[in-house]
Amino acid sequence: MSGTIFSTQPLSESPLKRLAMIPVYMAPMIAAIILSYCTGEMYPFSSFPMYSKFDDRTYYVILRDAEGKQIPTAEAFQVFASQLKKEYGRHLDDLKEDHEGSHFDWSAEVRGEAGQATLDWLRTDRAPDAFKDGRYTGMELVDVRITMEDGKPVEKGEVVARLPPSAP
Amino acid sequence: MIKAFFRNELGMIEYSRWEWIIIRTVFAFLLWGATWHTFNPGAIDIPEYDTSNNPNGLAALFNLNWLAGTGATAVSAILFFLFLVLYLSGFFPLVAVSGLLVIHSAVGAIFASPQKDHHATQVVGLVLLGQFVFLVWRPLRRLIWTKYSRAPHYSLPTGMIVFSQQMMCAGYVVSAISKWINSGGGILPGAKWLAQLPNIVVQFVKNEGQATADFARPPEDDFNRQVVEWVTMHPTEAILLFGMGFYLELLAFVALINRGWAFLLGVGLFAMHSMISEIMRLNFFYNKMLLLIFFINLPFWLRFFFRRATGAGSGTVAVDGGTSLGRTLSW
């Protein structure tokens, strides 16, 4: 009986036999991999697609007040900028029904529809209390695009949506 | 010792009762945090979600908005706490894990809605699911699996830990497969993903911009900016460095071979998460904690080297503390 360093049981079978048993021993993992990949997103299963490809361009959004000063999203609305970007991204996806190609090629005016929907979501669904005193009238949503130019990242921001000055 | 790293002990590793007690105690805390997204019982809150906007998991099958009501939330939290106490006690594990799984899956689905919103706690849910599957499979194996006598017949501590490890490995492997396929596929796993890696700097810049937008001021440290500059100047070295992360994920199942590999892979993946946390300001708290308890497993190694240094047991270590099966570890 040959003992092992890390386990309590002897390895009585030949290495080849044990190799052949790997799919049986790993069956739970294999099943979970298949389920995770096939279901895509079915909590707790996921194919974990984050950062699964790297394009040479991406984007995020920031908020600015009527004077052009950046608004801290986490402090003002309890929303992280990453969440805001995801909401904006979902509205950009919705626009794909009416507009061809990638949103990277769309004009600021077209993207503005998604921007406006994002501001409306923030004001009416996500943080309505923050808007009650009229503090954020004229708030702007800036779509910041990052592209690789000559091997270096370059940022360019464009205002795509704005709350009306008289917004409550 | 070195030779031991190359022994295939898959299905033969035995985890002791005391290891399982330590692991499940830490896991219980993680489970609470991952379900309620707070460790403060007074701050428990379940948000409502938009049922038309790609709800996730159970929320896609049933409307769970009723759980967001104050009464339902309170009852769920109390039930969850009671199941956790039962889980920690070690009695009726199937009842405890079933209750925890139902509540965690329902609440987790709401927090993870809409789909792809975030994945911070999925690994905790997967581990819990793995433990549930083991507890269901364990009695069934005796009944219907006798034909395949070589199928592993785990003790409770071993099965709970091994199935948990396998769920974690599944998460890492499927993440690597997604990278392989989504980046363009190809025969060589991850080759196209690696080729695209220098473009990761736009993601780093995005993370920095978002971190700045959260509080309208740039983060105090400039590590992210230094890394952006380094990757821009040294794309090949960046491919080698970050590429290791891809293969760590793809080969995560190697951790199942023996305790040595579990430790090494655990440390490697922990380091990978820590590096990403620093650069991209993403929190991998649950991944790191689960790697610590299920793979790195410091209590075992401390005991292992302590007993070896002191010569306790004259070359043998009772890994189960000599209390359960009485088997000893020899070398």
Side-chain angles (χ1 to χ4, degrees), chain A residues 4-10 13 18 25 29 41 43-44 46-47 51-52 54 70 73-74 81 86 90 151, chain B residues 8-10 12 14 56 104 114 117 119 121-122 150 166 178 182 193 196 213-214 232 259 301 319 329-330:
Chain A
T4 71
I5 292 282
F6 303 126
S7 76
T8 58
Q9 299 183 34
E13 292 170 325
R18 294 187 51 70
Y25 293 141
M29 183 191 78
E41 290 291 331
Y43 192 93
S46 171
S47 60
Y51 305 108
S52 58
F54 293 116
Q70 195 165 344
T73 60
K86 280 173 184 164
R90 277 190 279 274
Chain B
N8 173 12
E9 297 176 359
L10 196 62
M12 305 294 282
E14 184 145 328
N56 203 338
H104 175 80
D117 202 42
H119 300 82
T121 62
Q122 313 242 171
R150 287 190 302 166
Q166 296 216 13
S178 290
N182 294 354
W193 188 81
Q196 295 169 4
D214 287 340
T232 307
R259 284 179 183 266
W301 290 106
V319 292
L329 167 66
S330 57

Side-chain angles (χ1 to χ4, degrees), chain B residues 20-37:
Chain B
W20 173 232
I21 290 171
I22 293 171
I23 287 173
R24 79 165 181 253
T25 304
V26 179
F27 183 65
F29 280 98
L30 295 178
L31 201 45
W32 179 270
T35 305
W36 306 108
H37 293 233

Side-chain angles (χ1 to χ4, degrees), chain B residues 257-276:
Chain B
I257 289 177
N258 61 43
R259 284 179 183 266
W261 278 106
F263 178 81
L264 289 180
L265 265 289
V267 169
L269 288 164
F270 189 95
M272 178 191 80
H273 285 306
S274 299
M275 188 171 73
I276 298 171

